[in-house]
């Protein structure tokens, strides 16, 4: 849960708490079923009006949350790409990070994987068009260029690889797979990598 705070860290403690409470409510109740008064209550604010000191409305709050999580993921991907030269190492490190987040920041991951943000944030870039995904596609292109990964369209490879990884993460996050995430990580990695690896 501490990682969740880092993922949505802002400059002000009250703002952080509003974002954390909104994240929890959006994931558990849904965006449309969550009111600003509930967010204010959970953030232990004196009145709903206090939310407006930081956010114009619920949509802006959700956009800030979405962009904070995506930006944090993008920064982590930059670090992974700096530390690892081969595409297989980069993708493996990214999978390690995503599985770690199921334990340390489950709601942030749920927000990205299970909520259709386009329904309430139509002005924001869809996740597949964010810098984070662009960097994942660069990892894949690196693997195609070096001969590690099959020579297919990078977005198709992304779909094959992350289809397996994201489905496994969702099954863990919704409790269908009931053991700790690290028990499924190596199986998911092997299945995903074998789908895209050049034989």
């Amino acid at each position: 849960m501490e990682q969740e705070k880092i993922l949505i860290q802002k400059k002000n403690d009250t703002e952080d708490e509003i974002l954390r409470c909104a994240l929890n409510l959006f994931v558990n109740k849904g965006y449309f079923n969550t009111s600003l008064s509930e967010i204010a209550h959970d953030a232990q604010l004196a009145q709903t009006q206090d939310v407006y000191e930081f956010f114009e409305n619920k949509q802006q709050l959700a956009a800030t949350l979405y962009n904070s999580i995506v930006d944090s993921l993008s920064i982590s991907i930059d670090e992974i790409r700096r530390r690892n030269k081969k595409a297989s190492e980069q993708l493996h490190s990214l999978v390690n990070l995503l599985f770690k987040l199921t334990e340390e920041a489950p709601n942030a991951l749920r927000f990205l994987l299970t909520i259709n943000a386009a329904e309430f944030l139509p002005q924001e870039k869809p996740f597949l068009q964010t810098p984070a995904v662009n960097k994942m596609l660069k990892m894949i292109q690196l693997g195609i260029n070096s001969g590690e990964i099959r020579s297919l369209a990078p977005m198709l490879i992304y779909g094959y690889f992350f289809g397996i990884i994201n489905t496994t993460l969702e099954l863990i996050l919704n409790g269908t797979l009931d053991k700790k995430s690290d028990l499924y990580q190596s199986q998911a990695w092997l299945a995903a990598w074998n789908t895209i690896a050049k034989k």
Side-chain angles (χ1 to χ4, degrees):
M1 293 300 176
E2 193 59 34
Q3 183 70 21
E4 212 136 64
K5 290 180 184 173
I6 293 167
L7 280 171
I8 59 174
Q9 191 90 41
K10 302 310 285 179
K11 292 187 173 93
N12 181 291
D13 288 342
T14 304
E15 187 177 359
D16 289 347
E17 188 62 13
I18 292 168
L19 287 166
R20 191 190 64 74
C21 292
L23 174 63
N24 184 52
L25 287 164
F26 291 160
V27 165
N28 290 300
K29 290 187 67 178
Y31 173 84
F32 294 108
N33 295 324
T34 298
S35 67
L36 279 178
S37 61
E38 289 173 296
I39 295 168
H41 176 268
D42 283 12
Q44 299 182 343
L45 300 176
Q47 53 189 1
T48 304
Q49 203 63 28
D50 293 342
V51 175
Y52 293 108
E53 288 181 36
F54 303 96
F55 305 101
E56 285 180 27
N57 51 41
K58 186 171 74 167
Q59 189 178 46
Q60 191 207 16
L61 195 165
T64 301
L65 186 58
Y66 174 76
N67 287 311
S68 289
I69 293 170
V70 171
D71 289 349
S72 181
L73 180 60
S74 186
I75 290 165
S76 296
I77 292 170
D78 285 337
E79 183 59 31
I80 286 169
R81 291 176 68 207
R82 270 194 294 275
R83 285 194 323 254
N84 301 282
K85 297 299 176 209
K86 293 172 66 177
S88 56
E89 294 167 349
Q90 292 178 3
L91 288 169
H92 198 260
S93 293
L94 179 54
V95 169
N96 289 345
L97 171 67
L98 293 172
F99 274 81
K100 185 178 177 186
L101 292 177
T102 63
E103 301 292 333
E104 296 182 4
N107 282 343
L109 208 52
R110 281 186 188 101
F111 192 82
L112 282 184
L113 295 179
T114 64
I115 291 178
N116 182 7
E119 289 181 346
F120 53 90
L121 296 174
Q123 76 285 2
E124 297 298 325
K125 282 185 179 178
F127 182 63
L128 289 178
Q129 294 176 17
T130 61
V133 172
N134 187 45
K135 291 168 187 178
M136 293 180 210
L137 292 172
K138 287 181 179 176
M139 291 178 179
I140 290 166
Q141 188 63 58
L142 173 67
I144 293 169
N145 294 346
S146 68
E148 280 191 288
I149 294 174
R150 294 162 60 194
S151 185
L152 297 170
M155 187 54 83
L156 189 58
I157 294 287
Y158 174 95
Y160 292 159
F161 184 83
F162 286 102
I164 291 170
I165 297 302
N166 292 352
T167 299
T168 306
L169 294 170
E170 287 179 43
L171 290 169
I172 293 165
L173 290 166
N174 70 24
T176 303
L177 294 175
D178 59 352
K179 295 183 173 63
K180 284 192 124 329
S181 63
D182 57 357
L183 296 173
Y184 306 107
Q185 184 174 335
S186 62
Q187 296 169 47
W189 161 256
L190 285 173
W193 180 249
N194 287 335
T195 301
I196 67 168
K198 192 169 184 180
K199 305 293 187 229

